[in-house]
Structures are given as C-alpha cells and as structure tokens.
Amino acid sequence: MLQTSHPETTMTTILTILSLLFLLQPFLACAGCTCEPQHRDGSNSKALTYKLVAIASILLASAVGVLIPMLLKNFSGLRPEKPIHFLIKAFAAGVILATGFVHILPDAFEGLTSPCIDENSWGSFPFTGFFAMASAIGTMMMEAYATGFQRRSELRKAQPVEGDEEKGVELQHVHGSAFSLEKSGSSDLVRSRVIAQILELGIVVHSVIIGISLGASGNPKTIKPLVAALSFHQFFEGLGLGGCISEAKYKRRAIAIMVLFFSLTTPAAIGVGIGISKTYDENSQTALIVEGILNSASAGILIYMALVDLIAADFLGSKMQSNVRLQLGANFALLLGASCMSLLAKRGGT
C-alpha cells in the first residue's frame, strides 16, 4: 500500500490554504460602484444573532456530515466490497452533482450576466460555461498527471538493477501477479487521494462565497431561512466529501486536517463577511465578477468529479453491471441524493 509522507500532505494543505487566502483578497476591497443601493432594515443586533447561530449550526452540520462516512467504514457491513457501500457512494455522488448543476452553476450565470456588469466586456461571451469547461478540463489534466506520474514511478522501481537482473528474471513469474495487484492497488489509492483533494477544493471555494454573502447580509429576513438551508447543504456536501476521504485511506493527521478545513471554512467565511459587512456590496461589479468566476470554476470541478470519478467509476464497473438489484438500488440512491440537494435549492439554499 502506498504511503504518503507527512511533508507532502502538509505541503498540499498549505498550498490549498494559501490559494484560498489569495482568492479571498478581492472580497476585502470596498466596492467602487453599485447597481442598486443596499437597503438595511436596521435590525443589526437581530441579524448578528442569526449569523452567530448560523456559524454554530453550519459548523456542527459540516463536521457531522463529513465524519459519518469515516465512522461507518468501521462496520463490517459497510466495507467497500459490500453493496450498501455502493448505495452510499451513489447518494453522495447525486449530492455533489446537484450541488454543481443546481446550486453553483445558476449562481455563476446570475453573477456574470448581471446588469450591474459592463455588457461590452462580459455580456458578449458566455464566460460562465467557458470557465466551468476550463476548470473541468484542468481537473482532468491534474488527475491524469498525478496518476500517470505514480504509475511511471512504480515502473521505474520495478525494473531490476544490473546485478540483480538474472535474479529478477527468475523471480518474475513468482512475484509477477503479486506486483501487478500491488501496483493496481497503489495507483487506485493515489487516484482516490487526488479525487478527495480536488473535490474538497471545489466545495471549499463555493463555501467561502456563500459564507461571505451570509455574513455580509444585514437583513434578518434573508438570513433566517438560510440558516437551516445551508446547514443541510453543508451536511449533504460533507457526506459526499467524507466518503471520498474515507476511500483515500489517509493517515489520521491528514484526515483531521481535511475535516477541519471543510468544517471551518464556511463559519470562518461568515466571520469574514461580518467583519466587512459595512463595506462589502454584493452588487458591485468586482464582487459579481469574482464570485461568478469562482462559482463557474467550482461548478466545473464538482460536475466533472461527480460524473467521471464518482458515478462512471462505479456504475460502469463490473460489480454493478453484473448485479441488477445493486444497479437499480444505486440508480435510486443517485436520484435520491440529487433530489434532496435540489430541493434545498428550491427552498432558498445556495
């Protein structure tokens, strides 16, 4: 089994955090122009109370959601070779797919086609679809490069040195099958880890946007219904991400970092939104463009990951193709997950 060193895991996490902090910088600037003035009802204390409730509720929902798949894997009936494992993965894939298509992509279209943005620069080209496509292609390239690099390194390690060439030939037939299985297992593990990291990045980008928007809002009537909706939103996203982290078989330290990173992102973004609520204008051209681009990229990542890495990998696999009952159950779980997440969008959660 492949072992990932602590420095590599830590470096990946640090780079992700630095990238996130860099993406946050445009939001900290005061908006220069507004399409419409922001009207506040003056209930600042009531709005702040709802925001503090949202921080606690979303933090709890995110942590519970992402931890459930990791806790369930300790039960023998939920191991990867069991049918229930495929049903849980299908439900999580539906959640991730609906997040990209129903939640994030419409927000990206709304932002980049807003009348507050200069139509001469942004209205003459479908930038939303372009950025979503570019992020999906970039995700595929990153995943292909990472798994290809791992396989090439395995092939180099498998080649015998000059002094051991004859010995390697003698042992080739004895250990050939074992090496083939080990190589396949380690490659699958690397791919699972790449999937988990990219998926978390796509989810976190969207979590930052919705957190800042909620924190910067000053209308209690807007905030109150979003508390429950976003809590369920983060819970279902946590289920999908937690399943991928569980399959990646990280060490405890890496798992703790990824769980904390996901759980704390939205509450921290709400705190940032509270801090900049007096200067942040969600209808400014800068905010709309940055949010639209980030939402487009996030949607492209999540849609690609859901369709290619989560759904196609299992639904087109031999185990599910040879079991009609499992296939029907997985399709139902997929539709159930997508429906639950889509219902949250209808109820106002983004």
Side-chain angles (χ1 to χ4, degrees), residues 132-159:
M133 176 191 67
S135 66
I137 294 175
T139 301
M140 181 273 297
M141 290 180 175
M142 290 174 60
E143 184 179 341
Y145 175 79
T147 54
F149 176 81
Q150 174 62 26
R151 290 179 181 177
R152 289 191 296 270
S153 63
E154 287 173 350
L155 290 175
R156 287 194 296 268
K157 292 179 182 178
Q159 292 178 355

Side-chain angles (χ1 to χ4, degrees), residues 201-212:
L201 178 61
I203 292 175
V204 160
V205 170
H206 179 57
S207 298
V208 170
I209 296 174
I210 62 176
I212 290 180

Side-chain angles (χ1 to χ4, degrees), residues 61-339:
S62 301
V64 172
V66 76
L67 286 174
I68 283 179
M70 301 179 203
L71 297 176
L72 291 180
K73 74 175 184 179
N74 296 323
F75 294 91
S76 58
L78 298 175
R79 290 177 180 174
E81 64 273 11
K82 300 294 183 179
I84 188 65
H85 177 78
F86 288 89
L87 300 182
I88 295 174
K89 282 186 64 180
F91 179 86
V95 169
I96 299 300
L97 187 63
T99 301
F101 270 121
V102 183
H103 287 255
I104 306 180
L105 199 59
D107 288 345
F109 273 111
E110 183 180 355
L112 293 180
T113 58
S114 171
C116 303
I117 298 179
D118 183 15
E119 294 185 0
N120 294 329
S121 301
W122 294 87
S124 58
F125 186 81
F127 283 101
T128 304
F130 174 77
F131 286 122
M133 176 191 67
S135 66
I137 294 175
T139 301
M140 181 273 297
M141 290 180 175
M142 290 174 60
E143 184 179 341
Y145 175 79
T147 54
F149 176 81
Q150 174 62 26
R151 290 179 181 177
R152 289 191 296 270
S153 63
E154 287 173 350
L155 290 175
R156 287 194 296 268
K157 292 179 182 178
Q159 292 178 355
V161 296
E162 294 182 0
D164 296 334
E165 184 174 357
E166 294 182 0
K167 183 178 179 180
V169 173
E170 294 176 358
L171 296 177
Q172 183 177 1
H173 297 288
V174 178
H175 297 287
S177 299
F179 172 73
S180 178
L181 291 175
E182 182 181 355
K183 179 178 69 174
S184 176
S186 61
S187 297
D188 291 341
L189 184 58
V190 170
R191 187 168 181 267
S192 296
R193 291 181 174 180
V194 172
I195 291 172
Q197 291 177 354
I198 298 178
L199 181 61
E200 179 160 15
L201 178 61
I203 292 175
V204 160
V205 170
H206 179 57
S207 298
V208 170
I209 296 174
I210 62 176
I212 290 180
S213 298
L214 176 61
S217 176
N219 189 351
K221 295 181 181 179
T222 302
I223 300 172
K224 186 177 180 179
L226 286 178
V227 175
L230 291 181
S231 296
F232 282 105
H233 179 279
Q234 292 299 110
F235 175 77
F236 286 128
E237 278 191 345
L239 286 177
L241 178 62
C244 292
I245 295 176
S246 177
E247 280 199 348
K249 298 180 181 179
Y250 282 108
K251 294 182 179 180
R252 291 184 178 180
R253 181 180 177 183
I255 292 176
I257 292 174
M258 297 186 74
V259 169
L260 287 174
F261 194 40
F262 169 75
S263 302
L264 295 175
T265 297
T266 305
I270 294 175
V272 173
I274 294 174
I276 64 173
S277 59
K278 293 183 179 180
T279 58
Y280 177 78
D281 181 9
E282 62 181 6
N283 287 328
S284 71
Q285 178 167 299
T286 302
L288 288 170
I289 291 174
V290 173
E291 288 181 10
I293 293 175
L294 294 182
N295 273 330
S296 300
S298 178
I301 292 173
L302 296 185
I303 291 171
Y304 170 85
M305 301 295 288
L307 290 175
V308 177
D309 292 323
L310 300 181
I311 297 176
D314 287 340
F315 279 61
L316 301 180
S318 58
K319 185 175 181 63
M320 192 174 295
Q321 291 288 320
S322 60
N323 190 332
V324 177
R325 292 181 61 186
L326 178 60
Q327 197 171 22
L328 292 175
N331 279 280
F332 175 78
L334 175 67
L335 294 175
L336 180 63
S339 299

